[in-house]
Amino acid sequence: MRVCGATACFAAQAGRHLPAIEGVLGVTADDDRDPDPEVSLQTVRCLGYCYGGPAALDGETPCAGPDVVDQVAGRVRPQAPPIPAADATGDPVVLAGIAAGEPPWRTWADTVGRRTPELVQQEVAASGLRGRGGAGFPVAAKWAAAGGSPDTVVIANADEGDPGSYADRLLMEVDPARVLEGLALACFACGARRGLVLVRSEYPQALAQMREAVERARADGHLGRRVHGSGVDLDVEVVAGAGSYVAGEETALIAGLEGGRGCARARPPYPTSSGLWGVPTVVNNVETLAAVPWIVSRGGAAYVRRGTPGETGTKLVCLSERFTHPGCYEVELGTPVRRIVTELGGGLRNGAELGVLQVGGPLGGFLSEQVLDVPLTETELAGHGAALGHAGLVAIDDRIEPLEVLRHVWAFAAAESCGACSPCRVGSRRGLELARTGEPPGDAYARMLRVMSEASLCAFGRRLPPAVRSLVRAYEDRLRGWGG
Ligand SMILES: Cc1cc2nc3c(=O)[nH]c(=O)nc-3n(C[C@H](O)[C@H](O)[C@H](O)COP(=O)(O)O)c2cc1C
Ligand code: SF4
Ligand code: FES
């Protein structure tokens, strides 16, 4: 049994579901002393049911909802509602299939053998599309950096580790062919003959859908040798991830695919010059790839008209269970966060007051009610110490004490730090120890935050201190001293 202890599920019942599940199963979570238990319980951080949690996975059967404890105990039938999804732009890009019924693979069939890889790269460059996995790197520049070698591998990053985000799960389970079409176009633009999809093991249904979609694509001639009568050979393999948050960071993801531990490594070399087994490797997020068919068929100029001049296009946002209308919505970049929260989300359920809003997952940040007019862009959110990330919006209502939220943030950090570098390995555990005492921290804590943000190997350790500071700012004087 895997039970989610991540932010949206924590916010649903202030974390009470986990001890209750331990109670009904009669086991302690993450206790591996019994080598052959009848039931074992593992805490995981996000199962992609953040809109209807708390959530658990019994084998491969999802259980989600306010009565998750009864479901797990077998007192009521397991249930997991489908992801509510809607377009709020009037002309969906990423949800073109799901919200507008546009069939997949048309752009691929029109492109392969008729257009050149350079043309595809040019359209994507003209669109201004940036990676949607969190780092926001320009997509066409990454493709160009791989250099066009036929050894290039393009990896669809479907690790979706950010608690609060389930956009990639939606795309893979409901419109997997569009993700594959985007991957095929990316491979074509990079001159690659091989694509990989790394799906996190916490998403068994998505894994099955992606595998089935690859089989169908092969049977329909979208993949294979001499695709659609062209000179292009392309095959795609779907691989299950091994769990953990950091395993979604691109160098950690590559290490995992090579059979090693999912730990990040120093860059350079960047994966585009030396990635999987030393060959040029392009890693793109699932949502990034799902935007590519629209851009190639409508043209980069059409995409530039969406969003803001500095940050073009649309973005999927995921609203957590505390909202009246939780779900995955496609919005234009630049939409005020308040509009998303009130008009799409309908505010908080049962008239609850917002404590803080987490935007962009554990490496993003927290906003208070007062600053929700901020437009949803990387630049504007950065001005408030937050980040766009994968655009999960997790509402934490005012029933939960600020110190509990702080402890939750440090507990996530301590559990998910991969341990490859000392500032983050030691700092995340020390942060949790201090937060557990609840005593106002001193200068050593402030120094520790500085060392973490300056000396950590990857963005996990570097982004945690700003995320903590944004939480402290959002709660104003209720967490004084904890920002370092
Ligand atoms: C700790 C950490 C975890 C990450 N997890 C994910 C993830 O789950 N999915 C993802 O697409 N990108 C993740 N990323 C970002 C990837 O390293 C990489 O930038 C991204 O997959 C590139 O795709 P994009 O350019 O299309 O966004 C993570 C980064 C860090 C630092
Ligand atoms: S910063 Fe943290 S997650 Fe990143 S390499 Fe160091 S220990 Fe691992
Ligand atoms: S399912 Fe629990 S936070 Fe996503």
Side-chain angles (χ1 to χ4, degrees):
M1 181 82 66
R2 286 175 274 187
V3 60
C4 179
T7 321
C9 292
F10 162 80
Q13 296 181 351
R16 284 190 300 273
H17 65 290
L18 180 57
I21 288 177
E22 287 179 313
V24 294
L25 294 180
V27 293
T28 306
D30 306 317
D31 180 358
D32 53 9
R33 281 172 299 181
D34 182 350
D36 189 21
E38 200 178 323
V39 182
S40 67
L41 185 63
Q42 184 193 9
T43 42
V44 291
R45 287 157 205 90
C46 198
L47 292 164
Y49 291 92
C50 331
Y51 55 92
L57 260 191
D58 182 0
E60 297 201 344
T61 308
C63 308
D67 62 349
V68 68
V69 179
D70 290 331
Q71 293 181 41
V72 164
R75 296 194 280 252
V76 297
R77 280 231 304 266
Q79 53 169 306
I83 300 174
D87 167 57
T89 70
D91 185 5
V93 174
V94 185
L95 294 185
I98 293 170
E102 273 181 35
W105 289 119
R106 281 193 182 160
T107 312
W108 176 237
D110 285 348
T111 301
V112 68
R114 289 198 211 164
R115 296 179 186 156
T116 61
E118 291 73 28
L119 199 98
V120 173
Q121 265 197 35
Q122 276 162 23
E123 286 305 340
V124 173
S127 76
L129 177 68
R130 287 172 176 267
R132 301 302 191 215
F137 195 79
V139 173
K142 191 185 281 188
W143 292 356
S149 156
D151 291 335
T152 305
V153 178
V154 181
I155 301 175
N157 187 346
D159 203 57
E160 194 163 58
D162 271 9
S165 284
Y166 44 88
D168 296 348
R169 180 164 88 78
L170 171 77
L171 292 169
M172 289 190 287
E173 290 187 9
V174 186
D175 198 8
R178 192 162 316 270
V179 178
L180 285 182
E181 187 181 17
L183 178 60
L185 289 162
C187 287
F188 179 71
C190 295
R193 292 177 298 201
R194 193 171 164 217
L196 277 170
V197 187
L198 188 287
V199 186
R200 73 199 308 247
S201 55
E202 291 88 344
Y203 284 1
Q205 272 92 348
L207 193 61
Q209 290 297 331
M210 289 306 294
R211 287 200 165 124
E212 202 183 307
V214 167
E215 290 304 322
R216 224 176 304 126
R218 283 195 192 121
D220 293 345
H222 300 306
L223 299 176
R225 294 187 69 83
R226 304 189 66 77
V227 174
H228 293 304
S230 70
V232 174
D233 295 343
L234 177 62
D235 206 7
V236 170
E237 194 186 336
V238 180
V239 182
S244 115
Y245 181 72
V246 177
E249 192 277 339
E250 58 183 6
T251 61
L253 179 136
I254 289 167
L257 280 169
E258 290 176 345
R261 286 187 67 197
C263 287
R265 65 155 171 82
R267 299 174 299 177
Y270 287 92
T272 43
S273 56
S274 179
L276 186 67
W277 306 117
V279 302
T281 303
V282 169
V283 181
N284 274 136
N285 169 257
V286 161
E287 186 186 337
T288 312
L289 293 169
V292 173
W294 192 99
I295 291 169
V296 175
S297 70
R298 305 267 200 108
Y303 195 76
V304 169
R305 288 195 286 275
R306 319 290 299 271
T308 72
E311 297 185 37
T312 58
T314 65
K315 178 80 194 81
L316 294 181
V317 293
C318 293
L319 271 54
S320 69
E321 179 271 352
R322 288 287 84 197
F323 286 96
T324 307
H325 305 298
C328 181
Y329 300 92
E330 183 160 353
V331 301
E332 305 270 341
L333 278 171
T335 306
V337 173
R338 192 180 298 283
R339 224 200 104 203
I340 298 171
V341 165
T342 54
E343 288 179 29
L344 301 178
L348 265 55
R349 61 172 68 206
N350 306 325
E353 294 286 326
L354 183 71
V356 284
L357 180 73
Q358 188 191 41
V359 183
L363 311 185
F366 294 84
L367 302 177
S368 67
E369 215 284 327
Q370 286 74 30
V371 301
L372 291 188
D373 291 317
V374 59
L376 188 87
T377 62
E378 188 63 57
T379 317
E380 296 283 352
L381 287 167
H384 290 276
L388 181 62
H390 201 33
L393 267 58
V394 178
I396 297 174
D397 66 31
D398 64 356
R399 296 169 315 157
I400 304 188
E401 284 299 315
L403 196 56
E404 283 304 309
V405 182
L406 181 81
R407 285 187 184 128
H408 173 80
V409 168
W410 280 116
F412 180 91
E416 293 292 344
S417 165
C418 83
C421 70
S422 314
C424 169
R425 183 184 64 243
V426 178
S428 57
R429 280 160 184 72
R430 189 75 188 121
L432 177 59
E433 280 168 14
L434 290 168
R436 278 195 177 136
T437 70
E439 296 298 320
D443 289 350
Y445 173 82
R447 273 201 305 280
M448 184 194 86
L449 288 187
R450 204 173 59 244
V451 171
M452 276 184 85
S453 57
E454 288 175 4
S456 290
L457 191 58
C458 83
F460 186 85
R462 286 199 300 268
R463 280 288 320 163
L464 282 167
V468 169
R469 284 190 195 105
S470 76
L471 178 69
V472 173
R473 203 173 311 127
Y475 274 125
E476 295 179 345
D477 54 359
R478 297 175 71 193
L479 280 177
R480 190 168 298 159
W482 287 99

